[in-house]
Amino acid sequence: MHRFAGFFVAFTILFGSVHSPVLAQDKTLTVFAAASMKNALDDIDAAYAAKTGVRIVASYAASSALAKQIEQGAPADVFVSADTDWMDYAAGKKNINEATRVNLLGNTIVLIAPKDSKIDNVAIGPGFDLSKLAGDGKIATGDVKAVPVGRYAKAALEKLGAWNAAEPKFAMAESVRAALTLVARGEAALGIVYSTDAQVEPGVKIVGAFPADSHPAIIYPVAATTTAKPGTADYLVFLRSSAAKTILEKYGFKFLVSPTT
């Protein structure tokens, strides 16, 4: 009996009380989101945690990097991309649940300069000479081969006839927030970022806006991954709620869906 009692105590220490569930309910969700979402989504996640008790662990990076991480097995419940191409990529790899996919947000791209720059009020249109405007300085944006903001920027500059001359002056960053930081620090004379990014960085100013018809529509799709936890559906509903809409619009995003509640 004493030997059995000792075994029982050891079993309890190692594996927990026999009266407890084998696994405690996991009250966290992991969200992989485009870097430009950080400030707004942090506020949304705090509101969701306060309402439900579910903690959101958010990982922010370029949509391209996040899609590749999910493909390689990174544990994510939700993917928010800054363009439809990288969501399409994840769908093609069978990494997202297509039935949950929604085009949630819209955005715009702008030209920024350090807050103390002499550059101001730039008219962006056909014939716009970005290379001349930058002078000897660098122009920062996301990597035009992969990062959504960079791809939007290149498309716009090609449409306006400004890409070829300006290309040698570009400093390609790993994400839109990295590009934003280069400009804020004065390491780049100009930058192309989302208007929502420029709003949250006091070290920069918007000096011009790109015409909406100069680039593909900027759309942020959201979807659950194929490995998402059951509670993910409730979070996706919250992202479409009036409460989330208020937060997102405060940060300058355009809400593309009708609020769920």
Side-chain angles (χ1 to χ4, degrees):
M1 289 294 292
H2 293 298
R3 185 177 300 169
F4 177 79
F7 170 80
F8 183 81
V9 170
F11 180 90
T12 302
I13 292 171
L14 285 171
F15 299 103
S17 169
V18 292
H19 297 294
S20 298
V22 175
L23 292 173
Q25 185 180 2
D26 190 348
K27 300 285 282 184
T28 65
L29 291 175
T30 301
V31 177
F32 278 20
S36 50
M37 290 291 297
K38 178 171 172 45
N39 299 72
L41 200 60
D42 280 351
D43 283 3
I44 287 171
D45 292 347
Y48 187 72
K51 179 181 179 181
T52 66
V54 176
R55 185 170 67 95
I56 307 300
V57 179
S59 179
Y60 299 106
S63 304
S64 49
L66 297 173
K68 292 293 183 70
Q69 289 170 22
I70 293 170
E71 180 186 1
Q72 292 160 12
D77 300 299
V78 174
F79 179 35
V80 187
S81 174
D83 71 1
T84 56
D85 287 349
W86 283 110
M87 186 62 80
D88 289 345
Y89 178 90
K93 298 295 182 178
K94 309 298 183 185
N95 293 141
I96 66 156
N97 180 347
E98 282 274 25
T100 66
R101 178 174 174 171
V102 174
N103 288 337
L104 185 67
L105 303 171
N107 210 337
T108 58
I109 53 172
V110 294
L111 186 68
I112 59 169
K115 64 178 179 181
D116 57 357
S117 172
K118 294 179 181 178
I119 299 172
D120 212 350
N121 298 323
V122 177
I124 300 177
F128 158 63
D129 194 342
L130 180 59
S131 177
K132 182 179 179 180
L133 189 66
D136 295 331
K138 290 289 186 182
I139 307 162
T141 195
D143 184 349
V144 299
K145 294 180 180 178
V147 179
V149 72
R151 288 159 45 138
Y152 291 129
K154 181 181 178 183
L157 294 173
E158 286 180 331
K159 180 78 175 289
L160 299 171
W163 172 250
N164 288 340
E167 181 182 6
K169 297 182 180 180
F170 267 87
M172 305 298 180
E174 65 181 14
S175 73
V176 68
R177 287 299 172 92
L180 184 69
T181 298
L182 287 175
V183 180
R185 290 177 178 171
E187 295 172 26
L190 294 166
I192 301 175
V193 300
Y194 300 115
S195 58
T196 52
D197 294 296
Q199 280 189 212
V200 298
E201 173 50 70
V204 306
K205 62 180 179 178
I206 295 174
V207 297
F210 285 84
D213 63 359
S214 66
H215 55 78
I218 299 173
I219 294 172
Y220 287 60
V222 58
T225 65
T226 51
T227 58
K229 295 171 190 169
T232 302
D234 291 338
Y235 177 75
L236 292 179
V237 169
F238 188 74
L239 284 182
R240 297 178 60 180
S241 68
S242 296
K245 180 176 185 286
T246 298
I247 293 169
L248 289 159
E249 290 182 341
K250 180 183 75 172
Y251 282 98
F253 288 97
K254 182 181 180 182
F255 210 64
L256 299 181
V257 297
S258 298
T260 51
T261 55

